[in-house]
Every structure is written in C-alpha cells, then in structure tokens.
Amino acid sequence: MAQPLMTVQQHILEEQRRRAPQASGEFSWLLSGITLATKIIADRVRRAGLADILGSAGQQNVQGEVVQKLDVLANQALLHCLGVRGNVAIMASEENAEPIVVARDRAHGKHVVVFDPLDGSSNIDVNVSVGTIFSILRCEPDPTGTRDPMKDVLQPGANQVAAGYVVYGSSTMFVYTAGNGVNGFTLDPQIGAYVISHPNIRMPRQGSIYSVNEANADSFPEGYRRYLAHLRSGAAGRTYSSRYIGSLVADFHRTLLKGGVFLYPPTKTHPQGKLRLMYEANPIAFLAEEAGGLATDGARRIRDIQPTSLHQRTPLVVGSPAEMELLESVVSSQ
Ligand code: P6P
C-alpha cells in the first residue's frame, strides 16, 4: 500500500504533539515560514539561467522589473516570510551585518532564527546545487524591548532547538532536525508541498568519501595533511574517493547520506577557517550529531563553541564516527 502523504508541516506538528501533547503548533507555524520562503527561492533558482533573457541582476527584465541578485532575493524572502510569523523575535542573516529585531513581536516572541539564505550562490552560474541553511534558538520575550538582541543571538550551537537546510539540486529537498532525529522531504512541484522521502536519516558509521578543497592542502596544518594521506593510503581499511562540490549544503548532504568526512581546515587565506559558525557550522553540526555523526573544529565539538560575533568563522570537520575518531587520533597527535 502507498505511504500516506506526510508533508513537513504535518511531520513537525506530530513531532511536537508526541513530545508535548499540549503543543500549540507555534513551532510548526514558524517552520512553515521557512518552507514557504524556500519554495520562492527554489522557483527563482530553477529559472536563474533565464536571467540573461529576463535580465540579469541590477538590470530591468523584459517585463521592465528590476532583476535582483538571487542571494538578495533569497534573503528578502526569508526576512519577509519569517517576519510575519508572529513568533520570531529576532532574525540574523549572512546578508545582514546586524541582527534584525521584529519590533512587533519582540515583546512576546520566543524564537531567534539565524540563516544563510543562499549558501554557495556563486555556483548558480555553473548550475551547481546551492542551499539555504537555518538554525533556530530560543530567547526570553523582551517586553521592555531594551535587551541587546546580540545577547539572544550569540548562543552556543548546543542551544539550538531546530536546524536544517534546503538543497536546490536535481530535486529540492528540505532536511531538518528538532532534536529527535533527522528527516528529509522532497518538494513535489505538482502539489507545491515538501513530502517525506527520507525518514529517520542515519549517517553510516564509516564512509568511503572524503571531501576537501585539495588546492589548499599545502597550507593545512600538518595533522590534517597526515590524516588525508592516511585515508588515501588505505590504512583506514578501505579505499577512499575524493569528492568536492564547493557548495557546503551539497557536500554535507552527500556526507549525511553516504557517510565519510567533509573538511574545511584552517588555510593560509583563512587561518580561522572559512565557514561561518552561527549559520553554517552550527546547524550542520546539529544535523550530523542527530544522525549519528560528529562535528568539530579539529579540536573542539562545534556545538560547544561560545560565539563572540555573528559572522565569526571556524574550521569545520564533520562526518561519520569512524573518520572523525581517526581524525582525532591523527590531528591531536600532531
Ligand atoms: P572554497 C561557498 O562559497 C562556501 O561558503 C561553502 O558553501 C563551501 O563549502 C565553501 O565556501 C567552498 O569554499 O574555498 O573551497 O571555494
């Protein structure tokens, strides 16, 4: 018998009711703001290649409308769809220097949403998958509206109540966790709904793929170079392939489903790592741990790091237990 249609909204509601029977549905309503925004983004990403015909960013298209850069459009879609949910107090985006307080809802809103609206957007020109990444934290309502919003934003990744991404690839997939496992939903364009396609995703205990930008290898700390040589030598008990897309969501999505390891170590250009802690490493780390994987900065658990600024960078190594345990033994012995 065919599986009953389970949409992401239904799934979140059932998750919440299972864990808190009196759940108000407030969280499901918040997440529906994110899914709505990503459907708008998916539609524009799919048509990006037509920009030349319809007009490219900053120019007018055939209808005389100004065509926006996709990452600006993605950011505006998320700010709008989340800003009208009524239960989001603060939003923080890769595209905005400072957090945005939702003035009307600051007094009673209990959620902070941090996001990268269109990660890897430079890959769109060559038709490579890109993604939206989000992280949801709680905050105390601020009736006086006097509390510094940054205090509510700069929380360690362990405080996340939910996190996820949408990968705009051969299909559009919504993958999320609310602290009770990881589930994947595929956008059905015919009905315009995200329908469950990958229930209870588990990362394999060991993989056979490592994912890193090898062009930077000469500037990696010695321990990372030893680690990669170890994987290539077969000493880890299997032959590894190297796969690197250069789009974090796509590289992580493959690691989540197939196992292995993704690394962005410190480099000469980015001695603190290139990836952002708050809206790339933290949500990815939450998903990885919820699926049975691990995520560190090469030394510390990503979700234990106390952030000091909204856009701070971090090294990121995330993957299966076997590859992560090996990394710890090799890098920490450097
Ligand atoms: P590099 C995309 O620009 C991004 O932020 C991530 O999506 C991706 O993992 C990384 O940068 C790729 O960086 O230096 O290898 O091109």
Side-chain angles (χ1 to χ4, degrees), residues 116 119-123 213 216 244 246-249 251 262 264 270 274-275 280:
D116 185 349
D119 180 74
S121 53
S122 57
N123 290 300
N213 184 339
N216 301 325
Y244 192 71
S247 184
L248 174 62
V249 172
D251 279 318
F262 169 87
Y264 206 107
H270 292 107
K274 176 183 181 186
L275 301 177
E280 289 178 322

Side-chain angles (χ1 to χ4, degrees), residues 12 61 96 145 160 172 213 309:
I12 296 158
N61 65 16
N96 298 81
Q160 293 173 99
T172 299
N213 184 339
S309 71

